[in-house]
Amino acid sequence: MSALPASTLLAAAAQFGTPLYVYQADTIRAQYQKLTTAFSAHPTRFFYACKALTNVAILKVLLAEGAGLDCVSINEVKLGLHVGFAPENILFTPNSVAFEELVEAKDLGVNLNIDNLSLLERFGATFGGSYPVCVRLNPHIEAGGNYKISTGHIDSKFGISIHQLRHLERVVKGTGLHVRGLHMHTGSEIKDLSVFLRVLDVIFEAARRFPNLDFLDLGSGFKVPYKPGDPETDVNGLGQQVAAAFKEFEHEYGRPLEAWFEPGKYLVSESGYLLVEVSTVKHTTATVFAGVNSGFNHLIRPMMYEAYHYISNLSNPKGPERLYTVVGNICETDTFAWDRLLPEIHEGDILAFHNAGAYGFEMSSSFNSRLRPAEVLLDGEQPPRLIRRRQTFEDLLAGQL
Ligand SMILES: *Cc1c(COP(=O)(O)O)cnc(C)c1O
């Protein structure tokens, strides 16, 4: 968990108003460097899973670091190209998309990761081996902090089942497809390295059936701490184990294989804060509610995934700690935190939700006709820069006929 000084965050809140997303570029760079250093023993590429946060200023920070981009929709692909990512540094990993969307991405020249046998068969029948592809497999490995963010399990819609390898081979041989990569992404927030190592075993086993591979993509699952003392994926340990496993497998396979990863949360989560203002403090027979000028329209992770977001009271950091239930102003149950010990809260105080960089603004909406927050980037010694203006009432009407 990284923490910007309260004075820096309060100054941003004063300058740009609340609710406000604030991101620190240096944290993103440091996370990227941690990964590249940890995996330096083997040729490894990192594709930022931009669904976590697509603001173009953030994409530019990662482009400058040398990252690639993992995209899950054609519009994310177009955003990446718009920002300047080369097509070969973009990986398109959609699911449940129409064939036409896949062809549109092919025409843009990006790497395709196909997760469905019927699409793969159609792609092979249309293009044969003229456009190499990656195939997304589902290893049926249970992983991740929460069933909703786990993608490799038996009920998951993602990928082609590892039990369908025989069918997959038939489709590849029958259509002359050129498979240059295999992919597995088992989910988010994997603490236990043994999960990655089990995925490695399964992907190597599958790779033996495809002789023309250039890379194996192990997806993501890098966990970051959400509160003091919370564990983080041991990327250095993982980097060493992956390098050793790849070396051994390459020896048998007879060709070099790059390792690819698609971290989202790991790169941007800790860089971000959602700053909100306390509108009301309400004592009920059950608890004390601190009601803030935000809700699940701005940060849905606590309500959708029961995610824990550390909260600090920037206005009264040294106040006596008291028990609060922190809620939003949406006409729905939008509880950010139950029974949270926080320095005494007064109406008008500014609170910060930490780890708000990933799946924060990106999952926001204008539910209740409330406006989306502004976004600000802090970069080194430069003055804070507004990278998305706050929505206005006119934005709510825009597009309505
Ligand atoms: C969401 C996603 C990721 C990123 O997951 P994080 O937990 O944010 O790192 C990577 N790969 C694919 C295919 C995804 O859908």
Side-chain angles (χ1 to χ4, degrees):
M1 250 192 67
S2 66
L4 275 170
S7 57
T8 307
L9 292 171
L10 283 170
Q15 185 178 351
F16 300 100
T18 61
L20 183 72
Y21 273 98
V22 176
Y23 313 109
Q24 191 187 30
D26 285 340
T27 306
I28 299 174
R29 295 190 187 102
Q31 290 296 98
Y32 186 76
Q33 294 301 332
K34 264 173 30 187
L35 282 181
T36 50
T37 307
F39 287 84
S40 55
H42 185 82
T44 304
R45 295 177 66 187
F46 296 96
F47 295 77
Y48 166 51
C50 69
K51 72 173 189 283
L53 176 60
T54 53
N55 189 298
V56 297
I58 302 295
L59 299 184
K60 283 178 186 165
V61 169
L62 283 155
L63 175 66
E65 287 302 296
L69 210 60
D70 181 60
C71 301
V72 293
S73 74
I74 193 71
N75 290 329
E76 284 188 358
V77 169
K78 290 177 184 171
L79 272 175
L81 293 169
H82 168 81
V83 164
F85 285 88
E88 60 269 26
N89 294 333
I90 295 179
L91 176 61
F92 184 39
T93 306
N95 73 89
S96 307
V97 288
F99 185 65
E100 291 69 25
E101 189 166 331
L102 213 52
V103 173
E104 195 178 350
K106 171 197 164 283
D107 290 341
L108 294 170
V110 303
N111 296 290
L112 301 184
N113 190 3
I114 301 179
D115 98 321
N116 180 321
L117 272 178
S118 74
L119 279 185
L120 196 69
E121 190 169 352
R122 199 162 158 198
F123 194 86
T126 313
F127 303 109
S130 65
Y131 198 88
V133 295
C134 175
V135 175
R136 177 173 190 170
L137 298 173
N138 185 332
H140 304 306
I141 288 174
E142 194 75 46
N146 178 307
Y147 207 63
K148 283 189 194 161
I149 57 175
S150 171
T151 55
H153 59 76
I154 192 77
D155 293 326
S156 165
K157 67 170 179 169
F158 298 99
I160 296 168
S161 168
I162 199 77
H163 304 303
Q164 292 175 295
L165 272 183
R166 191 73 197 97
H167 191 180
L168 171 60
E169 267 185 305
R170 282 214 158 82
V171 168
V172 170
K173 290 212 175 87
T175 59
L177 266 169
H178 176 176
V179 178
R180 71 175 291 247
L182 294 180
H183 168 274
M184 287 182 189
H185 169 66
T186 53
S188 205
E189 302 201 352
I190 306 170
K191 282 170 266 193
D192 183 358
L193 287 198
S194 71
V195 170
F196 281 102
L197 300 176
R198 266 158 63 212
V199 168
L200 266 183
D201 276 345
V202 177
I203 208 166
F204 289 155
E205 183 59 39
R208 293 189 171 94
R209 300 172 184 233
F210 301 92
N212 303 314
L213 298 175
D214 299 318
F215 64 87
L216 297 174
D217 184 333
L218 303 175
S220 179
F222 300 102
K223 188 195 177 323
V224 292
Y226 273 79
K227 53 183 144 182
D230 209 16
E232 170 170 353
T233 303
D234 169 15
V235 291
N236 289 319
L238 185 64
Q240 283 164 17
Q241 299 200 36
V242 165
F246 267 69
K247 287 254 147 20
E248 195 185 319
F249 182 69
E250 277 176 342
H251 188 69
E252 173 199 330
Y253 188 68
R255 261 169 92 86
L257 285 169
E258 287 180 351
W260 288 17
F261 287 98
E262 304 142 5
K265 185 176 288 180
Y266 190 82
L267 293 175
V268 297
S269 172
E270 292 167 284
S271 79
Y273 302 79
L274 173 60
L275 307 184
V276 300
E277 183 173 334
V278 178
S279 310
T280 55
V281 175
K282 179 191 268 186
H283 293 252
T284 71
T285 47
T287 185
V288 181
F289 286 106
V292 304
N293 63 348
S294 184
F296 74 39
N297 50 328
H298 299 155
L299 180 64
I300 202 173
R301 297 187 73 258
M303 305 80 184
M304 189 151 161
Y305 306 120
E306 284 156 40
Y308 182 100
H309 282 265
Y310 186 81
I311 302 171
S312 46
N313 183 353
L314 301 176
S315 305
N316 187 23
K318 300 221 157 62
E321 288 200 327
R322 305 192 60 178
L323 214 49
Y324 292 96
T325 298
V326 181
V327 294
N329 59 8
I330 290 300
C331 285
E332 250 285 4
T333 303
D334 60 347
T335 310
F336 287 107
W338 282 103
D339 300 336
R340 192 70 69 88
L341 268 179
L342 290 168
E344 191 164 55
I345 293 175
H346 305 101
E347 292 176 358
D349 281 358
I350 305 290
L351 308 185
F353 293 100
H354 296 235
N355 284 78
Y359 311 108
F361 182 89
E362 205 60 31
M363 293 176 92
S364 68
S365 72
S366 47
F367 187 46
N368 281 198
S369 294
R370 293 203 176 270
L371 307 174
R372 287 201 179 119
E375 294 177 286
V376 164
L377 184 66
L378 306 176
D379 194 354
E381 299 302 307
Q382 296 169 34
R385 183 158 68 90
L386 189 65
I387 57 173
R388 188 190 305 262
R389 66 163 172 78
R390 185 175 304 287
Q391 267 196 329
T392 62
F393 177 71
E394 287 66 37
D395 291 326
L396 296 181
L397 291 171
Q400 299 196 52
L401 302 175

